[in-house]
Structure formats: C-alpha cells, structure tokens
Amino acid sequence: AQKITQTQPGMFVQEKEAVTLDCTYDTSDPSYGLFWYKQPSSGEMIFLIYQGSYDQQNATEGRYSLNFQKARKSANLVISASQLGDSAMYFCAMRVGANFGNEKLTFGTGTRLTIIP
Amino acid sequence: GAGVSQSPRYKVAKRGQDVALRCDPISGHVSLFWYQQALGQGPEFLTYFQNEAQLDKSGLPSDRFFAERPEGSVSTLKIQRTQQEDSAVYLCASSLKGWAYEQYFGPGTRLTVT
C-alpha cells in the first residue's frame, strides 16, 4: 500500500522568504508520480507541480520547485519569494503504478502555510 | 474556460435522508474521480470512472454510497440513509486520460448531516 507523510501541520513564514514544505512517500512500485496541490480557504484544490519517478531533473513551475530525492523517498515543495497569497493548505499526493485504470491519488494530511507580512 | 463544477455547494441533510451530489467535469476529460475530505484531513479516494465505466470503487465506505456516470460526462454521487459520519466535503476531479496528467478539482460539496 502507498502512503504519503507530511510532518509539518503548520508553518509561519515571513513574506518574501523561501519556504520548504516536507513530503515523504512510501511505495514499492518503481512507477509513480508525485503531485503538490494548494487548497485556499475557498476549498478548491489547485494543481501546482508534478514529478514522475523516472524524471531525471527536478520539476519547476514558476516560483514552485520540487526537491525530489528518490533514495530518501522525499518530494519537498520549495516556494521561492513567498507572497501573502501563498497562505493556504498544501497537500502532497502520489499516484502509483503505470497500469491502465490505476489513476487515483493518495494524499497526505497537509501543511497549513501562513505568510506573515 | 469552464472548470469542474459541483452542485449543490452546500447540503444539509437529516440523518436517514438520501442525497445526490452532482459533478460536471471539464469538457473532453475522460477520467472522473470522487474524493471525500473530512475536516482537517487530506482528500480520500472514493471512486473513479473512465468514460462511463466505473473502474475503481474500492474507496466507497459502504453500500450506502453509489456513483454513476451514465453518458460519460456528468457524474452523480448518491448517499442513501445518510449518517453523521458522512459529513464531509465531497470533491470531484477530472483529467485527461493518462497516468501523468494532473487532476482538476471542483469546489466541492459540503455535506452536513444533522
């Protein structure tokens, strides 16, 4: 069975600083994908970034980057130059196996990020 | 373009009532997912469709939960004889067919069972 662990329930960060949100995962399947989603207080889940298990380079999307350390089974999200609008819940999620019909996501418990002006 | 829409946004049901939650996926998205999110938790998978075929319903918590997508577009999640533990936000997501594509989520339906 697959599992995602997010050990930081909450974080407070000064505006304009960089922040790292931790995520570790557990699976025995060599094929998997890792996702980060942002959930503002409005409730909608917003996709941020994706990393495949066979990708050679760390994924980047604007101010978001994923620090993928395969041997340590970690997929930390790094947000550079944080902004007030970054305040939200952040979820790490995983999809395991490359077989047809196996597309469900397993989520962690989330980290609540608060940006301080 | 239009995203995933869900209705109603809020639903209050008395214990024992049946409820139906609707999801309109993004046009052209083959895959559709339902998740349940309890307060303070991450979403948990309920069921998954590819077109009209329900490929995985392993996350449905009991036989009171039923989902359908008869024409491969709109989906309905039905909960019969609601109980207090069913109170949660129900999220619908859709994606293109394929393992690496991200899922796009709707705003959710907040169900409160009293």
Short mmCIF file of all heavy atoms in Angstrom, two decimals, chain A residues 31-33 35 37 39 42-45 47 50 91 95-98 100-105 107-109, chain B residues 9 31 33 35 37 40-43 45 48 50 55-56 58 91 95 97-103 105-106:
data_model
loop_
_atom_site.label_atom_id
_atom_site.label_comp_id
_atom_site.label_asym_id
_atom_site.label_seq_id
_atom_site.Cartn_x
_atom_site.Cartn_y
_atom_site.Cartn_z
N SER A 31 7.16 2.70 -10.54
CA SER A 31 6.49 3.72 -11.35
C SER A 31 5.50 4.49 -10.48
O SER A 31 4.54 3.91 -9.96
CB SER A 31 5.73 3.07 -12.51
OG SER A 31 6.61 2.38 -13.36
N TYR A 32 5.74 5.77 -10.33
CA TYR A 32 4.82 6.58 -9.54
C TYR A 32 4.98 8.04 -9.94
O TYR A 32 5.96 8.45 -10.59
CB TYR A 32 5.04 6.42 -8.03
CG TYR A 32 6.47 6.63 -7.57
CD1 TYR A 32 6.93 7.90 -7.22
CD2 TYR A 32 7.35 5.55 -7.48
CE1 TYR A 32 8.24 8.08 -6.81
CE2 TYR A 32 8.65 5.74 -7.06
CZ TYR A 32 9.09 7.00 -6.73
OH TYR A 32 10.39 7.19 -6.32
N GLY A 33 3.98 8.83 -9.58
CA GLY A 33 4.02 10.26 -9.82
C GLY A 33 3.70 10.99 -8.54
O GLY A 33 2.88 10.53 -7.74
N PHE A 35 2.57 14.72 -6.80
CA PHE A 35 1.87 15.96 -7.10
C PHE A 35 1.83 16.83 -5.84
O PHE A 35 1.75 16.31 -4.72
CB PHE A 35 0.42 15.68 -7.52
CG PHE A 35 0.27 14.82 -8.74
CD1 PHE A 35 0.45 13.45 -8.68
CD2 PHE A 35 -0.09 15.39 -9.95
CE1 PHE A 35 0.31 12.65 -9.82
CE2 PHE A 35 -0.24 14.60 -11.09
CZ PHE A 35 -0.05 13.24 -11.01
N TYR A 37 -0.63 20.02 -4.41
CA TYR A 37 -1.81 20.83 -4.60
C TYR A 37 -1.90 21.87 -3.50
O TYR A 37 -1.48 21.64 -2.36
CB TYR A 37 -3.08 19.96 -4.56
CG TYR A 37 -3.35 19.19 -5.82
CD1 TYR A 37 -2.77 17.95 -6.04
CD2 TYR A 37 -4.21 19.69 -6.79
CE1 TYR A 37 -3.03 17.24 -7.21
CE2 TYR A 37 -4.48 18.98 -7.96
CZ TYR A 37 -3.88 17.76 -8.15
OH TYR A 37 -4.14 17.06 -9.31
N GLN A 39 -4.66 24.33 -1.43
CA GLN A 39 -6.09 24.47 -1.14
C GLN A 39 -6.31 25.73 -0.31
O GLN A 39 -6.14 25.73 0.91
CB GLN A 39 -6.63 23.23 -0.40
CG GLN A 39 -8.15 23.24 -0.26
CD GLN A 39 -8.69 21.96 0.37
OE1 GLN A 39 -8.13 21.44 1.33
NE2 GLN A 39 -9.79 21.43 -0.18
N SER A 42 -11.08 28.92 0.20
CA SER A 42 -12.26 28.71 -0.64
C SER A 42 -12.55 27.23 -0.87
O SER A 42 -13.65 26.85 -1.26
CB SER A 42 -12.08 29.41 -1.99
OG SER A 42 -10.94 28.88 -2.66
N GLY A 43 -11.55 26.38 -0.68
CA GLY A 43 -11.77 24.95 -0.73
C GLY A 43 -11.33 24.25 -2.00
O GLY A 43 -11.20 23.02 -2.01
N GLU A 44 -11.11 24.98 -3.06
CA GLU A 44 -10.77 24.33 -4.32
C GLU A 44 -9.31 23.90 -4.34
O GLU A 44 -8.44 24.63 -3.93
CB GLU A 44 -11.05 25.28 -5.49
CG GLU A 44 -11.06 24.62 -6.84
CD GLU A 44 -11.82 25.43 -7.87
OE1 GLU A 44 -12.63 26.30 -7.48
OE2 GLU A 44 -11.61 25.20 -9.07
N MET A 45 -9.04 22.70 -4.81
CA MET A 45 -7.68 22.18 -4.90
C MET A 45 -7.05 22.68 -6.20
O MET A 45 -7.60 22.47 -7.28
CB MET A 45 -7.69 20.65 -4.91
CG MET A 45 -8.32 20.03 -3.69
SD MET A 45 -7.21 20.06 -2.30
CE MET A 45 -6.14 18.70 -2.70
N PHE A 47 -3.76 22.56 -8.67
CA PHE A 47 -2.54 21.83 -9.01
C PHE A 47 -1.35 22.78 -9.11
O PHE A 47 -1.44 23.87 -9.70
CB PHE A 47 -2.74 21.11 -10.34
CG PHE A 47 -1.47 20.59 -10.95
CD1 PHE A 47 -0.84 19.47 -10.42
CD2 PHE A 47 -0.88 21.23 -12.03
CE1 PHE A 47 0.33 19.00 -10.96
CE2 PHE A 47 0.29 20.76 -12.58
CZ PHE A 47 0.90 19.64 -12.05
N TYR A 50 4.21 18.65 -10.73
CA TYR A 50 4.24 17.19 -10.87
C TYR A 50 5.67 16.70 -11.09
O TYR A 50 6.46 17.34 -11.80
CB TYR A 50 3.37 16.77 -12.07
CG TYR A 50 3.59 15.35 -12.53
CD1 TYR A 50 3.00 14.29 -11.85
CD2 TYR A 50 4.41 15.06 -13.63
CE1 TYR A 50 3.20 12.98 -12.26
CE2 TYR A 50 4.62 13.75 -14.03
CZ TYR A 50 4.01 12.72 -13.34
OH TYR A 50 4.22 11.43 -13.73
N PHE A 91 -1.07 20.17 -0.03
CA PHE A 91 -1.13 18.71 0.03
C PHE A 91 -0.16 18.09 -0.96
O PHE A 91 -0.09 18.50 -2.13
CB PHE A 91 -2.55 18.22 -0.30
CG PHE A 91 -3.56 18.54 0.77
CD1 PHE A 91 -4.38 19.65 0.65
CD2 PHE A 91 -3.70 17.72 1.88
CE1 PHE A 91 -5.32 19.94 1.62
CE2 PHE A 91 -4.64 18.02 2.86
CZ PHE A 91 -5.44 19.12 2.73
N ARG A 95 0.49 9.04 -7.08
CA ARG A 95 -0.22 8.07 -7.91
C ARG A 95 0.76 6.96 -8.19
O ARG A 95 1.90 7.22 -8.57
CB ARG A 95 -0.67 8.74 -9.20
CG ARG A 95 -1.35 7.82 -10.19
CD ARG A 95 -1.64 8.56 -11.45
NE ARG A 95 -2.72 9.53 -11.26
CZ ARG A 95 -2.97 10.52 -12.11
NH1 ARG A 95 -2.22 10.70 -13.18
NH2 ARG A 95 -3.96 11.34 -11.88
N VAL A 96 0.33 5.71 -8.02
CA VAL A 96 1.26 4.58 -8.07
C VAL A 96 0.91 3.64 -9.20
O VAL A 96 -0.27 3.36 -9.43
CB VAL A 96 1.24 3.82 -6.73
CG1 VAL A 96 2.02 2.53 -6.83
CG2 VAL A 96 1.81 4.69 -5.64
N GLY A 97 1.92 3.14 -9.90
CA GLY A 97 1.70 2.13 -10.91
C GLY A 97 1.36 2.76 -12.24
O GLY A 97 0.68 3.77 -12.31
N ALA A 98 1.83 2.15 -13.29
CA ALA A 98 1.59 2.71 -14.62
C ALA A 98 0.51 1.95 -15.37
O ALA A 98 0.34 2.14 -16.56
CB ALA A 98 2.89 2.67 -15.42
N PHE A 100 -3.12 0.76 -16.72
CA PHE A 100 -4.39 1.38 -17.07
C PHE A 100 -5.39 1.20 -15.94
O PHE A 100 -5.53 0.15 -15.37
CB PHE A 100 -4.91 0.72 -18.35
CG PHE A 100 -6.29 1.17 -18.73
CD1 PHE A 100 -6.49 2.38 -19.35
CD2 PHE A 100 -7.38 0.36 -18.47
CE1 PHE A 100 -7.76 2.80 -19.71
CE2 PHE A 100 -8.66 0.77 -18.83
CZ PHE A 100 -8.85 1.98 -19.46
N GLY A 101 -6.08 2.26 -15.63
CA GLY A 101 -7.11 2.19 -14.60
C GLY A 101 -6.61 2.42 -13.20
O GLY A 101 -7.37 2.29 -12.26
N ASN A 102 -5.36 2.80 -13.07
CA ASN A 102 -4.80 2.99 -11.73
C ASN A 102 -4.38 4.45 -11.58
O ASN A 102 -3.21 4.75 -11.49
CB ASN A 102 -3.60 2.06 -11.57
CG ASN A 102 -3.21 1.92 -10.11
OD1 ASN A 102 -3.90 2.42 -9.22
ND2 ASN A 102 -2.11 1.26 -9.85
N GLU A 103 -5.37 5.34 -11.57
CA GLU A 103 -5.05 6.75 -11.61
C GLU A 103 -5.42 7.51 -10.34
O GLU A 103 -5.27 8.71 -10.28
CB GLU A 103 -5.76 7.41 -12.81
CG GLU A 103 -5.29 6.85 -14.15
CD GLU A 103 -5.90 7.57 -15.34
OE1 GLU A 103 -6.32 8.72 -15.19
OE2 GLU A 103 -5.95 6.98 -16.42
N LYS A 104 -5.89 6.84 -9.31
CA LYS A 104 -6.31 7.55 -8.11
C LYS A 104 -5.11 8.15 -7.39
O LYS A 104 -3.99 7.65 -7.47
CB LYS A 104 -7.06 6.62 -7.17
CG LYS A 104 -6.20 5.52 -6.57
CD LYS A 104 -7.03 4.58 -5.71
CE LYS A 104 -6.18 3.47 -5.12
NZ LYS A 104 -7.02 2.46 -4.43
N LEU A 105 -5.37 9.25 -6.68
CA LEU A 105 -4.35 9.91 -5.90
C LEU A 105 -4.49 9.55 -4.42
O LEU A 105 -5.60 9.46 -3.90
CB LEU A 105 -4.47 11.43 -6.04
CG LEU A 105 -4.11 12.04 -7.40
CD1 LEU A 105 -4.42 13.53 -7.42
CD2 LEU A 105 -2.65 11.79 -7.74
N PHE A 107 -3.39 11.13 -0.84
CA PHE A 107 -2.97 12.42 -0.30
C PHE A 107 -2.37 12.28 1.09
O PHE A 107 -2.73 11.37 1.85
CB PHE A 107 -4.16 13.38 -0.20
CG PHE A 107 -4.62 13.93 -1.52
CD1 PHE A 107 -5.50 13.21 -2.32
CD2 PHE A 107 -4.20 15.17 -1.96
CE1 PHE A 107 -5.93 13.72 -3.54
CE2 PHE A 107 -4.63 15.69 -3.16
CZ PHE A 107 -5.50 14.96 -3.95
N GLY A 108 -1.50 13.25 1.43
CA GLY A 108 -1.06 13.39 2.81
C GLY A 108 -2.06 14.21 3.60
O GLY A 108 -3.12 14.60 3.08
N THR A 109 -1.72 14.49 4.85
CA THR A 109 -2.63 15.22 5.73
C THR A 109 -2.52 16.72 5.58
O THR A 109 -3.33 17.46 6.13
CB THR A 109 -2.38 14.85 7.20
OG1 THR A 109 -0.98 15.01 7.46
CG2 THR A 109 -2.79 13.42 7.49
N ARG B 9 -23.41 23.40 -3.64
CA ARG B 9 -22.17 23.70 -2.92
C ARG B 9 -22.30 23.32 -1.45
O ARG B 9 -21.31 22.92 -0.82
CB ARG B 9 -21.84 25.19 -3.03
CG ARG B 9 -21.42 25.64 -4.42
CD ARG B 9 -20.08 25.02 -4.82
NE ARG B 9 -19.07 25.14 -3.78
CZ ARG B 9 -18.33 26.21 -3.57
NH1 ARG B 9 -18.49 27.29 -4.32
NH2 ARG B 9 -17.42 26.22 -2.60
N SER B 31 -11.39 10.98 -17.62
CA SER B 31 -11.34 10.42 -16.27
C SER B 31 -12.05 11.33 -15.28
O SER B 31 -11.92 12.56 -15.34
CB SER B 31 -9.88 10.24 -15.84
OG SER B 31 -9.20 9.38 -16.73
N PHE B 33 -13.10 11.51 -10.97
CA PHE B 33 -12.81 10.96 -9.64
C PHE B 33 -13.71 11.62 -8.61
O PHE B 33 -14.01 12.82 -8.70
CB PHE B 33 -11.36 11.25 -9.24
CG PHE B 33 -10.33 10.80 -10.25
CD1 PHE B 33 -10.04 11.56 -11.36
CD2 PHE B 33 -9.65 9.61 -10.06
CE1 PHE B 33 -9.09 11.16 -12.30
CE2 PHE B 33 -8.70 9.18 -10.99
CZ PHE B 33 -8.43 9.95 -12.10
N TYR B 35 -13.67 12.21 -4.35
CA TYR B 35 -12.90 12.12 -3.11
C TYR B 35 -13.76 12.65 -1.97
O TYR B 35 -14.62 13.51 -2.16
CB TYR B 35 -11.62 12.97 -3.18
CG TYR B 35 -10.59 12.49 -4.18
CD1 TYR B 35 -10.63 12.90 -5.51
CD2 TYR B 35 -9.57 11.63 -3.79
CE1 TYR B 35 -9.68 12.47 -6.43
CE2 TYR B 35 -8.61 11.19 -4.70
CZ TYR B 35 -8.68 11.62 -6.02
OH TYR B 35 -7.73 11.18 -6.92
N GLN B 37 -13.34 14.53 1.76
CA GLN B 37 -12.38 15.23 2.61
C GLN B 37 -13.03 15.59 3.94
O GLN B 37 -13.90 16.47 4.01
CB GLN B 37 -11.85 16.49 1.93
CG GLN B 37 -10.73 17.16 2.70
CD GLN B 37 -10.12 18.34 1.96
OE1 GLN B 37 -10.71 18.92 1.07
NE2 GLN B 37 -8.88 18.70 2.33
N GLY B 40 -10.01 18.99 8.30
CA GLY B 40 -8.62 18.93 8.73
C GLY B 40 -7.82 17.79 8.16
O GLY B 40 -6.68 17.55 8.58
N GLN B 41 -8.36 17.08 7.19
CA GLN B 41 -7.68 15.94 6.60
C GLN B 41 -7.44 16.15 5.11
O GLN B 41 -8.02 17.06 4.51
CB GLN B 41 -8.51 14.66 6.80
CG GLN B 41 -8.77 14.30 8.25
CD GLN B 41 -7.50 13.97 8.99
OE1 GLN B 41 -6.64 13.23 8.49
NE2 GLN B 41 -7.35 14.52 10.19
N GLY B 42 -6.62 15.29 4.54
CA GLY B 42 -6.47 15.30 3.10
C GLY B 42 -7.61 14.55 2.44
O GLY B 42 -8.28 13.74 3.08
N PRO B 43 -7.83 14.80 1.16
CA PRO B 43 -8.90 14.06 0.45
C PRO B 43 -8.60 12.56 0.42
O PRO B 43 -7.43 12.15 0.32
CB PRO B 43 -8.85 14.65 -0.96
CG PRO B 43 -8.18 15.97 -0.82
CD PRO B 43 -7.21 15.81 0.30
N PHE B 45 -9.73 8.97 -1.57
CA PHE B 45 -10.33 8.45 -2.80
C PHE B 45 -11.59 7.65 -2.51
O PHE B 45 -11.63 6.85 -1.58
CB PHE B 45 -9.32 7.56 -3.52
CG PHE B 45 -9.87 6.79 -4.68
CD1 PHE B 45 -10.08 7.41 -5.90
CD2 PHE B 45 -10.19 5.45 -4.54
CE1 PHE B 45 -10.59 6.69 -6.98
CE2 PHE B 45 -10.69 4.72 -5.61
CZ PHE B 45 -10.89 5.35 -6.82
N TYR B 48 -13.70 6.04 -9.20
CA TYR B 48 -13.07 6.56 -10.41
C TYR B 48 -13.77 5.99 -11.64
O TYR B 48 -14.06 4.80 -11.70
CB TYR B 48 -11.59 6.17 -10.37
CG TYR B 48 -10.85 6.10 -11.67
CD1 TYR B 48 -10.81 7.18 -12.52
CD2 TYR B 48 -10.16 4.94 -12.01
CE1 TYR B 48 -10.11 7.11 -13.71
CE2 TYR B 48 -9.45 4.87 -13.20
CZ TYR B 48 -9.42 5.95 -14.05
OH TYR B 48 -8.72 5.89 -15.22
N GLN B 50 -13.72 5.97 -16.03
CA GLN B 50 -13.14 6.35 -17.31
C GLN B 50 -14.27 6.24 -18.31
O GLN B 50 -14.82 5.15 -18.56
CB GLN B 50 -11.98 5.43 -17.69
CG GLN B 50 -11.10 6.10 -18.72
CD GLN B 50 -9.65 5.70 -18.58
OE1 GLN B 50 -9.19 4.84 -19.30
NE2 GLN B 50 -8.92 6.30 -17.66
N LEU B 55 -14.17 2.13 -13.01
CA LEU B 55 -13.03 1.22 -12.97
C LEU B 55 -12.57 0.88 -11.57
O LEU B 55 -11.88 -0.13 -11.37
CB LEU B 55 -11.86 1.81 -13.77
CG LEU B 55 -12.10 2.02 -15.26
CD1 LEU B 55 -10.81 2.45 -15.94
CD2 LEU B 55 -12.67 0.78 -15.91
N ASP B 56 -12.87 1.73 -10.62
CA ASP B 56 -12.39 1.50 -9.26
C ASP B 56 -13.39 2.13 -8.28
O ASP B 56 -13.64 3.32 -8.35
CB ASP B 56 -10.99 2.12 -9.09
CG ASP B 56 -10.34 1.78 -7.76
OD1 ASP B 56 -11.02 1.26 -6.85
OD2 ASP B 56 -9.13 2.05 -7.61
N SER B 58 -13.13 1.08 -4.93
CA SER B 58 -12.60 0.49 -3.71
C SER B 58 -12.67 1.41 -2.50
O SER B 58 -12.61 0.97 -1.37
CB SER B 58 -11.14 0.07 -3.93
OG SER B 58 -10.34 1.20 -4.25
N LEU B 91 -15.34 16.07 -3.03
CA LEU B 91 -14.64 16.71 -4.13
C LEU B 91 -14.72 15.84 -5.37
O LEU B 91 -14.53 14.63 -5.31
CB LEU B 91 -13.17 16.94 -3.77
CG LEU B 91 -12.87 17.90 -2.63
CD1 LEU B 91 -11.42 17.77 -2.18
CD2 LEU B 91 -13.16 19.32 -3.06
N SER B 95 -9.74 14.60 -15.35
CA SER B 95 -8.45 14.72 -16.02
C SER B 95 -8.53 14.10 -17.40
O SER B 95 -9.46 13.35 -17.72
CB SER B 95 -7.34 14.04 -15.21
OG SER B 95 -7.41 12.64 -15.34
N LYS B 97 -7.22 11.41 -20.11
CA LYS B 97 -6.86 10.01 -19.90
C LYS B 97 -5.34 9.88 -19.91
O LYS B 97 -4.66 10.38 -20.79
CB LYS B 97 -7.45 9.14 -21.01
CG LYS B 97 -7.11 7.67 -20.89
CD LYS B 97 -7.72 6.89 -22.04
CE LYS B 97 -7.27 5.44 -22.00
NZ LYS B 97 -7.85 4.67 -23.13
N GLY B 98 -4.84 9.23 -18.89
CA GLY B 98 -3.40 9.07 -18.86
C GLY B 98 -2.89 9.22 -17.46
O GLY B 98 -3.40 9.98 -16.65
N TRP B 99 -1.84 8.54 -17.20
CA TRP B 99 -1.35 8.38 -15.85
C TRP B 99 -0.68 9.63 -15.31
O TRP B 99 -0.73 9.90 -14.12
CB TRP B 99 -0.38 7.20 -15.86
CG TRP B 99 0.06 6.76 -14.54
CD1 TRP B 99 -0.66 6.07 -13.62
CD2 TRP B 99 1.35 6.98 -14.00
NE1 TRP B 99 0.13 5.82 -12.53
CE2 TRP B 99 1.36 6.36 -12.73
CE3 TRP B 99 2.50 7.62 -14.45
CZ2 TRP B 99 2.47 6.38 -11.91
CZ3 TRP B 99 3.61 7.64 -13.64
CH2 TRP B 99 3.58 7.03 -12.38
N ALA B 100 -0.06 10.40 -16.16
CA ALA B 100 0.75 11.52 -15.68
C ALA B 100 0.00 12.85 -15.66
O ALA B 100 0.56 13.85 -15.23
CB ALA B 100 2.01 11.66 -16.54
N TYR B 101 -1.25 12.85 -16.10
CA TYR B 101 -1.95 14.12 -16.15
C TYR B 101 -2.48 14.50 -14.78
O TYR B 101 -2.97 13.67 -14.02
CB TYR B 101 -3.11 14.06 -17.14
CG TYR B 101 -2.65 14.03 -18.58
CD1 TYR B 101 -2.69 12.86 -19.32
CD2 TYR B 101 -2.17 15.18 -19.19
CE1 TYR B 101 -2.27 12.83 -20.63
CE2 TYR B 101 -1.75 15.16 -20.51
CZ TYR B 101 -1.80 13.99 -21.22
OH TYR B 101 -1.37 13.97 -22.51
N GLU B 102 -2.44 15.81 -14.50
CA GLU B 102 -2.96 16.29 -13.23
C GLU B 102 -4.48 16.24 -13.23
O GLU B 102 -5.11 16.29 -14.27
CB GLU B 102 -2.49 17.72 -12.93
CG GLU B 102 -3.03 18.78 -13.87
CD GLU B 102 -2.12 19.02 -15.06
OE1 GLU B 102 -1.37 18.09 -15.44
OE2 GLU B 102 -2.17 20.13 -15.60
N GLN B 103 -5.03 16.14 -12.04
CA GLN B 103 -6.47 16.16 -11.88
C GLN B 103 -6.90 17.59 -11.54
O GLN B 103 -6.26 18.27 -10.73
CB GLN B 103 -6.89 15.20 -10.77
CG GLN B 103 -6.58 13.75 -11.11
CD GLN B 103 -6.91 12.78 -10.01
OE1 GLN B 103 -7.67 13.08 -9.10
NE2 GLN B 103 -6.37 11.57 -10.12
N PHE B 105 -9.75 19.88 -9.90
CA PHE B 105 -10.78 19.70 -8.89
C PHE B 105 -11.88 20.75 -8.97
O PHE B 105 -11.62 21.90 -9.33
CB PHE B 105 -10.16 19.75 -7.48
CG PHE B 105 -9.44 18.50 -7.09
CD1 PHE B 105 -8.16 18.23 -7.57
CD2 PHE B 105 -10.04 17.57 -6.25
CE1 PHE B 105 -7.49 17.06 -7.22
CE2 PHE B 105 -9.38 16.41 -5.88
CZ PHE B 105 -8.11 16.15 -6.37
N GLY B 106 -13.08 20.34 -8.61
CA GLY B 106 -14.17 21.27 -8.43
C GLY B 106 -14.13 21.89 -7.05
O GLY B 106 -13.28 21.53 -6.23
#
